[in-house]
Amino acid sequence: MANLAITYNSLGKFNAAEQLEEEVLSLCKKVLGNNHPHTLTSMANLANTYESLGKFNAAEQLEEEVLSLYKKVLGDNHPDTLTSMANLASIYQSLGKFNAAEQLQEEVLSLHKRVLGDNHPDTLTSMANLASTYRSLGKFNAAEQLEEEVLSLHKKVLGDNHLIH
């Protein structure tokens, strides 16, 4: 069911994905409990679909809950916790809460560097996300500096011919 919902999401069938993800989440809570990692993944998937549907307030509320539970269940430094933090920052960005997004993205970047290292692709993605928020905040010099660093590291890590999106 979860895989079909992900496929619906990939096809842009967000309403179908939402309906199926809500059903998956309900079943996960019933069978596995509220704090099981699969339940948390189901919640995160639903929050992502809410964001895709433009239901930003619902996405924010659910992703904040997911983040709180990931920290409780898996700890502050677990990759799923860091992904949840990055997802929440994305929702903040969508809501125009750029200062909150910036603060969270700076924390995500710091944790990625500490946990995964400076050259890990997730660290580079965190840097690029933060640079985007800097642009949204009009911090163009900081964005430029960070983007130049990201580009340099991407070339170093992935090579000159790797496509960067």
Side-chain angles (χ1 to χ4, degrees):
M1 289 173 69
N3 289 339
L4 180 57
I6 290 168
T7 300
Y8 284 157
N9 210 323
S10 298
L11 290 168
K13 297 180 177 183
F14 302 121
N15 290 319
E18 175 187 26
Q19 182 179 3
L20 198 51
E21 286 168 348
E22 287 175 344
E23 187 177 348
V24 168
L25 178 55
S26 176
L27 289 169
C28 281
K29 285 182 175 183
K30 181 179 178 182
V31 174
L32 301 172
N34 292 338
N35 295 335
H36 191 279
H38 291 318
T39 303
L40 302 184
T41 298
S42 295
M43 292 171 71
N45 289 344
L46 181 57
N48 180 56
T49 298
Y50 285 159
E51 185 176 14
S52 296
L53 284 165
K55 297 179 177 182
F56 300 118
N57 292 323
E60 177 186 27
Q61 181 180 352
L62 189 55
E63 194 63 51
E64 285 176 345
E65 182 181 354
V66 170
L67 177 56
S68 175
L69 290 169
Y70 269 134
K71 286 182 175 185
K72 176 182 171 186
V73 173
L74 301 175
D76 292 343
N77 298 330
H78 191 278
D80 290 345
T81 304
L82 300 181
T83 297
S84 181
M85 292 171 72
N87 290 344
L88 181 57
S90 173
I91 294 166
Y92 287 159
Q93 180 104 358
S94 295
L95 284 165
K97 297 181 176 182
F98 301 119
N99 291 320
E102 176 186 29
Q103 182 180 355
L104 196 52
Q105 287 168 338
E106 287 175 345
E107 185 179 354
V108 170
L109 177 56
S110 175
L111 288 168
H112 271 143
K113 284 183 175 185
R114 187 167 47 115
V115 173
L116 302 173
D118 291 344
N119 297 332
H120 191 280
D122 289 350
T123 303
L124 302 181
T125 297
S126 294
M127 293 171 73
N129 290 342
L130 179 57
S132 173
T133 298
Y134 285 160
R135 280 193 312 275
S136 295
L137 287 165
K139 297 181 176 182
F140 300 115
N141 291 329
E144 176 186 33
Q145 181 180 354
L146 197 52
E147 287 166 344
E148 286 174 350
E149 185 179 355
V150 169
L151 179 58
S152 175
L153 288 170
H154 262 283
K155 286 181 177 184
K156 176 182 171 185
V157 173
L158 302 171
D160 288 338
N161 297 323
H162 189 274
L163 295 177
I164 302 170
H165 297 282

